[in-house]
Amino acid sequence: MNPFNEKPSKSILEMVPTLKELSPKPYNKLETDPYTKARVILMNGIEVEAALFGHNFHRHCVDNDLRREIALCRRMEQKQQKSINWLSPPDETPLETTISYEQLAVDLTAWLAMHEPDPYAKACMDFALLEDFDHLYRYANLLKADEDIPTHKLTLDTIEITPGRPTIAHHRHPSDTVRRAANAKVADIRTLINTMTLTAGEQQTMNFYMNIGNTAPEGVSRDLFLEIGMVEEQHVTQYGALLDPTMTWLENLLLHEYVESYLYYSFSQFETDPSIKKIWENCFEQEVAHLHKACELLFKYEGKEWQQVLPTGEYPDLLDLKPTKEYVREVLAKTVANTADKEDFVDVSNLPENHEFFVWNDQVNGRVQDVPSHIVIREQIDQNSEDYRYEDAESAVFALRDRTKDNTSLGRKQEK
């Protein structure tokens, strides 16, 4: 599939939906495939990124004719976002939705890393993967304690729920969250898609926790959203740093529309819910029109053809969200003790003793017994004699196998 060869069937104005058409029937939280939920969350995030990018473009553009052109596309992106976001059912609690957010983060990051041709971009994905994996474990224990719901009943056993790199170890100095930017002119199209997708996905998670965290019950629940929300800020910084900062606004617009069309086309091929599949198909049709408009604007205002921006128009392997248990186990076994040192990743034991990581981490965490991500596990163990897990086999990391004690040193303290 090459979307540049697809002729839009209608003009953008002819695709404007009515308000009634924007409010679809929500999915069933107990019966819906967890990957349908994941696709809904991701595409909501993709459209939020499109809206935020469009508004920033608008604020940095002096040509009102161009501003009017991007306003039309932005309005359509907002309509797509509303339709997708309204698929979430009203009886789904914020914590249940959070489980789907973290499953998306794990399985999306793992799938993209498995298909990532650039070693450095892959290392960045593997690094954040283990942190989102641990977030799922912490939230799952909170869900069991607060609502007595075992998370594997929501995920339908498609993902393991077990510790990753402990969340207490995730708090790093801001200097160590900045990565090397890619060169879009020579990067593989897969890398461009992956980095933009993950930037939008992690940004959506960060925004979600920013907006619903303070609605959680006072105590460990509210505090856990706060703590993990701060880690999501680091993830957004990491993935945003991988994007090419030399691209122009119109080049970025083209890339945004291309990535959106790729994702909608991918999901239209793999969606199992017929009504939601129809939404992906309709959105793909709209995105083809948006993409052709971006091509038109790029040529009109910068004199560039789309081929000067993207290495190819052909879609790479389509994104098919599915279980990634074995890959996650492999990354966990190899890199669980890693932390960041400026742009690179190293075993925490290889850092100098005076490294800024230790100073920052100690300052943020304070007393270990006060850290929310530790409290939620400690309280579960105190109440049930062990933590809540769902594992196909014991952990790939020996230090994480003890279900009666939360590990707070792995990836955080140097081994003597």
Side-chain angles (χ1 to χ4, degrees), residues 137-383:
Y137 162 72
R138 309 284 159 171
Y139 281 126
N141 276 267
L142 181 63
L143 182 64
K144 190 70 174 69
D146 281 8
E147 302 178 23
D148 195 27
I149 297 174
T151 291
H152 69 274
K153 296 295 185 182
L154 298 177
T155 61
L156 303 182
D157 306 343
T158 54
I159 190 169
E160 291 191 90
I161 300 155
T162 187
R165 181 182 303 116
T167 295
I168 194 172
H170 301 178
H171 309 296
R172 293 177 292 277
H173 193 284
S175 295
D176 296 323
T177 62
V178 178
R179 307 288 173 250
R180 300 186 192 96
N183 182 342
K185 293 181 174 59
V186 298
D188 190 283
I189 190 63
R190 177 84 264 168
T191 301
L192 300 181
I193 291 174
N194 289 357
T195 51
M196 183 163 283
T197 300
L198 285 168
T199 300
E202 292 286 358
Q203 176 179 256
Q204 180 63 15
T205 305
M206 178 186 73
N207 291 343
F208 181 65
Y209 296 162
M210 285 169 61
N211 288 304
I212 62 97
N214 65 348
T215 68
E218 191 170 358
V220 65
S221 179
R222 184 180 174 96
D223 294 344
L224 185 64
F225 274 104
L226 185 153
E227 180 185 1
I228 293 180
M230 291 304 300
V231 180
E232 299 303 339
E233 149 66 21
Q234 297 182 175
H235 289 181
V236 178
T237 300
Q238 164 173 282
Y239 289 123
L242 295 175
L243 303 175
D244 187 344
T246 68
M247 294 181 71
T248 68
W249 284 99
L250 283 167
E251 288 174 338
N252 264 300
L253 177 65
L254 182 79
L255 181 57
H256 272 80
E257 302 297 357
Y258 180 83
V259 171
E260 290 171 55
S261 71
Y262 162 80
L263 291 172
Y264 280 125
Y265 185 75
S266 292
F267 293 166
S268 71
Q269 304 303 302
F270 301 115
E271 182 56 65
T272 56
D273 184 304
S275 62
I276 296 180
K277 178 183 177 71
K278 185 64 177 177
I279 292 175
W280 303 148
E281 291 171 344
N282 289 339
C283 287
F284 170 71
E285 184 179 14
Q286 294 172 27
E287 291 304 338
V288 169
H290 298 174
L291 180 64
H292 282 258
K293 172 58 70 173
C295 291
E296 175 190 318
L297 296 176
L298 182 68
F299 183 78
K300 179 178 179 179
Y301 287 92
E302 294 186 7
K304 298 174 185 173
E305 301 285 357
W306 68 262
Q307 293 92 339
Q308 295 173 254
V309 180
L310 297 175
T312 178
E314 295 285 344
Y315 289 152
D317 290 346
L318 299 182
L319 175 53
D320 181 14
L321 290 172
K322 59 179 60 176
T324 58
K325 295 178 183 180
E326 290 305 315
Y327 183 78
V328 175
R329 278 182 164 268
E330 176 185 333
V331 176
L332 188 65
K334 293 180 179 178
T335 66
V336 68
N338 278 4
T339 191
D341 182 18
K342 295 294 188 289
E343 290 88 352
D344 297 309
F345 306 107
V346 298
D347 189 298
V348 69
S349 295
N350 294 330
L351 292 177
E353 293 184 358
N354 63 345
H355 194 277
E356 61 191 2
F357 167 74
F358 301 113
V359 177
W360 183 272
N361 188 267
D362 287 345
Q363 175 68 30
V364 170
N365 286 315
R367 302 189 313 165
V368 170
Q369 58 265 42
D370 295 333
V371 176
S373 59
H374 171 59
I375 294 174
V376 72
I377 303 302
R378 188 185 70 214
E379 290 184 350
Q380 183 74 8
I381 293 172
D382 289 345
Q383 183 176 350

Side-chain angles (χ1 to χ4, degrees), residues 141 377 380-388 403-405:
N141 276 267
I377 303 302
Q380 183 74 8
I381 293 172
D382 289 345
Q383 183 176 350
N384 300 285
S385 300
E386 63 180 14
D387 61 359
Y388 165 74
R403 298 189 58 182
T404 65
K405 184 179 180 181

